[in-house]
Amino acid sequence: MGREDMILTVKTTAQTELVDITAEVQKVVRTSDVGDGLCMVYVPHTTAAVTINESADPSVKADILMVLNKIIPWDAGYRHLEGNSAAHVKSSLVGASELIAIEKGGLVLGTWQGIFFCEFDGPRTRKVHVKVLHLPS
Ligand code: ZN
């Protein structure tokens, strides 16, 4: 008790895509029976990431992808022979993990916040590790 590990599977359907995984992460937290603690969401991939942003208006995730695709074009004379350097750069910029507070058994997220898995070289089947840590009060 007090610690729960869970690996979520995310199937993406486009080359670049933001997938709202808030409900799945919240479910792991709720079933872990941790009152106060921390939830780490970690993506073990070099061409994907995780971020927290507005989930109410889907235009926001579209705009995030639009800007990332604009500032990090797919073709830009990269050296990496696999041909997916843009995805690697996006992965590092956005980041592989998020840490979210848990209070009263649930994630502390703002009204408009959601947790998004970020696909940058899809479509693929991806993993997201969710670790719930209990903080004794
Ligand atoms: Zn590569």
Side-chain angles (χ1 to χ4, degrees):
M1 194 70 80
R3 189 186 125 164
E4 180 111 349
D5 300 336
M6 182 72 73
I7 301 174
L8 305 175
T9 299
V10 180
K11 284 192 170 75
T12 60
T13 58
Q15 186 182 57
T16 60
E17 182 180 9
L18 265 57
V19 181
D20 191 335
I21 58 170
T22 312
E24 289 80 3
V25 177
Q26 190 75 267
K27 193 174 170 187
V28 174
V29 171
R30 295 271 181 218
T31 56
S32 70
D33 207 25
V34 166
D36 289 299
L38 293 170
C39 175
M40 188 191 68
V41 181
Y42 176 73
V43 171
H45 302 290
T46 62
T47 55
V50 62
T51 193
I52 295 173
N53 215 301
E54 173 165 344
S55 59
D57 179 3
S59 297
V60 173
K61 66 178 184 180
D63 286 346
I64 290 170
L65 283 177
M66 184 264 288
V67 170
L68 284 173
N69 290 334
K70 188 177 285 184
I71 64 175
I72 309 162
W74 190 257
D75 293 311
Y78 302 111
R79 295 185 181 189
H80 179 49
L81 291 175
E82 196 187 4
N84 61 352
S85 275
H88 290 298
V89 173
K90 289 173 190 169
S91 172
S92 275
L93 279 184
V94 177
S97 67
E98 288 285 1
L99 191 62
I100 306 146
I102 299 168
E103 287 177 14
K104 295 175 181 151
L107 292 168
V108 179
L109 289 171
T111 306
W112 310 111
Q113 283 184 314
I115 306 163
F116 291 93
F117 175 84
C118 307
E119 176 63 81
F120 297 130
D121 193 16
R124 298 195 200 198
T125 299
R126 302 291 205 169
K127 300 290 182 199
V128 178
H129 293 250
V130 180
K131 283 193 183 283
V132 176
L133 299 171
H134 176 242
L135 293 177
S137 46

